[in-house]
């Protein structure tokens, strides 16, 4: 764990938002308690064969009952923010309706009060993938006329109930994953497969729903509550496989535009999908003999409504891929083949407990510069970053390595490249339900024993290390 010759000593800006994150379905449990409705993850995890270890989030970390203990763990880290998400179906059991479930409101209200009493500000995600099942029964994210007003109503309900105390809102966590894994590849709930078409329709409606939620805050709550509202996008950073080959350079940029620009360009750019994405999907659709592109279009009014709907750039990132130009067949249409790229990883990058996640800290600096170069000085808030293992060891030096060098590259981006980064969030506070992987992949700063019904938590070495970085607000030079 030597610093190495390229290590950058220094501090993060004053007031930097140190944070740690979880999400509702991954930690709460209490899946059918106190009037909560079913979500698509309750449904999905109960279908045999969907989850690698056959488990569910029925109890998860039991944070529905243990939130006070969670708050003490958060406090011990010294973070300023705690990023968690609300279960839509706990608040509105059927997804719609004006009158929220009082017990659901009470749970989150208690959590928020407990955080504030301990000097921690809540950073609240409205939607981290657990759609009320009754909305999915009506088409979910594919049905614009149901989902857009339903999300708007849900957002308003939350601003009303919690906005006096919550000043930091994230509308959607990773719409890319909802669209791509939920409605494209079918790996996550609701498990539909529409790799070439449904994926784009879901993305379209996610963008519209997000924009409505932002506009409602702006019109009805901003003047009294004075908070910030944004969105969180995820990205696997792309570097060209051969940087001397202009085709690979273009391919890496194209892949970034599909994965990040898909949502970022409408919101932080000109209000529309990236040109290269429109061009590629139209070309592939035409080659297939379709009468129109599989990528939907926004009207001018819709573009105007979406553009500018985020007060910060929420960024989740874990890893990098090397990308080369590769012409894909048009007769098997899919989001990934629409891009005409092929990806690989570098054999020298350390692996983790997740097959997709390899540690490449320099990628973080490249990514932050990419965001700055494309969207200007919008304040970037890293809303998730971290690494997994499978054994849950308390001596997690690989995690210390990961946080140390990812954070050092963020510091380089701030101090040496002039990128505007306002906060950093470790994923995750504790080991939790890793979606279709069940409890196999552990990302926690705290270990959770899932074989014990009382779900005991134990700090790992990384928890102490993260607290130390936060206490120093960075990396003081060992010689000064
Ligand atoms: C985040 O998503 C989530 O917000 C969070 O809930 C989750 O616990 C955390 O990451 C850790 O996974 O290569 O086909 O196996 C990260 C999004 C998820 C995107 C895994 C890439 C790999 C797909 N990433 N996915 S595959």
């Amino acid at each position: 764990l030597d610093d190495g010759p390229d290590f950058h000593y220094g501090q993060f800006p004053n007031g930097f938002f140190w944070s740690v994150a979880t999400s509702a379905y991954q930690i709460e449990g209490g899946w059918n308690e106190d009037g909560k409705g079913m979500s698509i993850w309750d449904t999905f995890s109960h279908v045999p064969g969907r989850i690698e270890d056959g488990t569910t989030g029925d109890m998860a970390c039991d944070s529905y009952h243990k939130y006070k203990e969670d708050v003490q763990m958060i406090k011990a880290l010294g973070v300023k923010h705690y990023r968690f998400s609300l279960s839509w179906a706990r608040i509105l059991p059927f997804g719609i309706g004006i009158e929220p479930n009082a017990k659901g409101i009470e749970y989150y209200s208690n959590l928020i009060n407990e955080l504030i009493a301990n000097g921690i500000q809540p950073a609240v995600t409205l939607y981290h993938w657990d759609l009320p099942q009754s909305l999915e029964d009506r088409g979910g994210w594919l049905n614009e006329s149901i989902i857009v007003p339903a999300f708007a109503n849900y957002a308003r309900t939350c601003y009303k109930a919690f906005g006096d105390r919550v000043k930091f809102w994230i509308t959607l966590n990773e719409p890319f994953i909802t669209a791509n894994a939920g409605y494209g590849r079918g790996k996550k709930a609701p498990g539909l497969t529409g790799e070439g078409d449904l994926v784009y329709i879901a993305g379209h409606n996610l963008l519209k729903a997000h924009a409505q939620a932002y506009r409602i805050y702006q019109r009805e709550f901003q003047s009294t509550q004075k908070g910030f509202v944004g969105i969180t996008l995820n990205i696997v950073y792309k570097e060209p496989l051969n940087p001397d080959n202009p085709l690979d350079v273009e391919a890496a940029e194209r892949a970034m535009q599909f994965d990040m620009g898909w949502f970022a360009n409408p919101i932080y750019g000109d209000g529309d999908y990236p040109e290269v994405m429109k061009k590629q999907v139209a070309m592939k659709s035409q080659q297939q003999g379709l009468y129109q592109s599989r990528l939907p279009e926004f009207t001018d009014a819709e573009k105007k409504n979406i553009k500018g709907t985020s007060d910060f750039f929420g960024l989740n990132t874990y890893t990098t891929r090397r990308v080369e130009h590769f012409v894909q067949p048009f007769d098997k249409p899919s989001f990934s083949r629409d891009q005409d790229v092929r990806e690989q990883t570098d054999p020298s990058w350390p692996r983790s407990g997740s097959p997709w996640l390899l540690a490449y800290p320099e990628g973080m600096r490249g990514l932050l510069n990419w965001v700055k170069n494309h969207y200007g000085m919008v304040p970037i808030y890293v809303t998730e970053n971290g690494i997994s293992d499978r054994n849950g060891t308390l001596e997690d030096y690989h995690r210390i390595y990961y946080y140390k060098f990812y954070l050092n590259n963020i510091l380089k981006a701030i101090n040496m490249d002039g990128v505007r980064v306002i906060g950093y969030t470790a994923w995750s506070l504790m080991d939790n339900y890793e979606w279709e992987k069940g409890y196999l992949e552990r990302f926690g700063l705290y270990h959770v024993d899932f074989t014990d019904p009382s779900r005991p938590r134990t700090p790992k070495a990384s928890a102490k290390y993260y607290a130390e970085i936060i206490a120093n607000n960075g990396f003081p030079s060992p010689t000064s």
Side-chain angles (χ1 to χ4, degrees):
L1 281 181
D2 249 14
D3 293 352
D6 295 331
F7 202 78
H8 176 65
Y9 297 100
Q11 286 194 307
F12 286 84
N14 281 333
F16 193 73
F17 296 130
W18 292 103
S19 182
V20 65
T22 61
S23 89
Y25 189 69
Q26 293 180 275
I27 66 161
E28 283 179 5
W31 73 291
N32 58 2
E33 276 180 63
D34 294 339
K36 177 180 164 294
M38 286 278 281
S39 85
I40 56 174
W41 272 96
D42 294 315
T43 306
F44 192 76
S45 68
H46 284 96
V47 176
R50 284 297 202 176
I51 310 299
E52 209 173 302
D53 63 357
T55 59
T56 70
D58 290 3
M59 188 175 178
C61 303
D62 200 24
S63 287
Y64 189 60
H65 301 106
K66 291 171 74 78
Y67 71 90
K68 286 190 177 168
E69 199 178 313
D70 293 352
V71 172
Q72 290 313 307
M73 289 150 56
I74 298 160
K75 192 180 182 181
L77 297 173
V79 293
K80 224 175 249 171
H81 283 176
Y82 174 44
R83 176 175 179 240
F84 63 96
S85 81
L86 307 177
S87 156
W88 187 341
R90 206 181 279 294
I91 291 173
L92 297 167
F94 302 99
I96 52 172
I98 305 272
E99 211 40 65
N101 172 27
K103 286 283 189 189
I105 298 288
E106 188 186 308
Y107 170 65
Y108 292 115
S109 212
N110 288 342
L111 169 60
I112 290 165
N113 292 345
E114 184 77 7
L115 286 166
I116 292 173
N118 282 278
I120 303 149
Q121 288 174 34
V124 176
T125 306
L126 293 174
Y127 184 72
H128 199 126
W129 306 351
D130 45 355
L131 190 73
Q133 180 60 44
S134 86
L135 286 174
E136 184 55 39
D137 295 342
R138 286 153 185 78
W141 290 106
L142 302 175
N143 187 346
E144 176 182 352
S145 64
I146 296 270
I147 201 70
V148 175
F151 188 68
N153 172 62
Y154 166 55
R156 182 184 282 113
T157 305
C158 298
Y159 301 148
K160 257 190 208 155
F162 312 120
D164 55 337
R165 290 154 291 160
V166 174
K167 303 302 166 188
F168 231 98
W169 295 98
I170 291 164
T171 56
L172 304 175
N173 178 69
E174 306 186 349
F176 175 97
I177 300 292
T178 300
N180 200 45
Y183 295 87
R185 301 175 56 225
K187 298 275 181 213
K188 287 185 161 70
L192 301 189
T193 45
E195 282 196 89
D197 47 12
L198 303 187
V199 58
Y200 293 120
I201 295 167
H204 207 62
N205 294 330
L206 283 154
L207 276 161
K208 289 187 185 185
H210 154 78
Q212 288 306 99
Y214 182 90
R215 296 296 178 205
I216 284 170
Y217 192 84
Q218 193 179 34
R219 278 195 304 265
E220 302 171 25
F221 298 91
Q222 175 60 49
S223 66
T224 52
Q225 298 187 350
K226 302 188 194 319
F228 298 91
V229 181
I231 190 168
T232 276
L233 306 180
N234 64 293
I235 186 72
V236 169
Y237 184 54
K238 275 79 178 174
E239 286 186 346
L241 179 64
N242 177 0
D244 298 327
N245 181 349
L247 281 179
D248 285 2
V249 173
E250 247 178 57
E253 173 67 14
R254 204 160 57 239
M256 286 297 287
Q257 290 296 348
F258 267 81
D259 284 10
M260 171 122 267
W262 182 14
F263 296 97
N265 208 66
I267 295 170
Y268 305 100
D270 64 6
D272 198 1
Y273 295 120
E275 282 307 322
V276 68
M277 185 176 186
K278 290 194 283 186
K279 201 181 110 206
Q280 284 284 132
V281 185
M283 173 185 80
K284 298 276 178 188
S285 304
Q286 193 190 29
Q287 287 172 343
Q288 282 176 262
L290 300 181
Y291 68 91
Q292 63 175 11
S293 176
R294 286 178 276 103
L295 183 67
E297 281 176 28
F298 291 119
T299 65
D300 287 340
E302 286 167 345
K303 288 178 208 166
K304 226 180 117 215
N305 193 50
I306 294 171
K307 185 176 147 77
T309 52
S310 193
D311 299 334
F312 54 88
F313 198 112
L315 185 64
N316 289 359
T317 192
Y318 292 83
T319 194
T320 296
R321 298 272 189 276
R322 298 252 159 85
V323 171
E324 67 184 313
H325 176 72
F326 182 81
V327 177
Q328 298 276 2
F330 60 81
D331 55 330
K332 284 183 258 158
S334 82
F335 175 82
S336 99
R337 281 182 287 262
D338 282 342
Q339 305 178 33
D340 284 336
V341 301
R342 196 158 59 179
E343 301 187 346
Q344 56 176 268
T345 54
D346 189 298
S348 74
W349 298 344
R351 311 193 69 94
S352 72
S354 310
W356 57 273
L357 202 177
L358 290 83
Y360 177 57
E362 292 82 358
M364 178 57 108
R365 184 174 176 188
L367 169 61
L368 292 171
N369 276 279
W370 190 93
V371 172
K372 175 190 166 204
N373 293 337
H374 286 76
Y375 310 113
M377 287 310 275
V378 52
I380 301 170
Y381 192 158
V382 177
T383 42
E384 277 181 36
N385 180 237
I387 194 167
S388 61
D389 54 57
R390 295 203 168 216
N391 59 15
T393 176
L394 299 180
E395 270 113 59
D396 55 340
Y397 300 115
H398 61 293
R399 186 166 289 109
I400 292 180
Y401 163 88
Y402 185 96
Y403 282 125
K404 175 173 181 172
F405 290 101
Y406 268 75
L407 275 163
N408 202 246
N409 274 279
I410 295 177
L411 195 57
K412 285 180 186 173
I414 296 172
N415 289 346
M416 297 158 78
D417 311 332
V419 182
R420 194 165 162 216
V421 185
I422 60 166
Y424 177 84
T425 312
W427 182 273
S428 174
L429 173 64
M430 60 190 147
D431 297 337
N432 57 47
Y433 189 71
E434 181 56 17
W435 308 110
E436 73 275 21
K437 301 304 172 93
Y439 298 101
L440 294 176
E441 299 179 10
R442 294 169 177 264
F443 283 81
L445 294 166
Y446 287 79
H447 174 271
V448 178
D449 182 353
F450 294 104
T451 64
D452 184 329
S454 72
R455 296 295 190 267
R457 290 103 153 100
T458 315
K460 302 179 186 177
S462 58
K464 222 179 279 160
Y465 182 73
Y466 188 46
E468 207 176 289
I469 296 181
I470 294 172
N472 289 324
N473 199 33
F475 304 96
S477 163
T479 57
S480 70

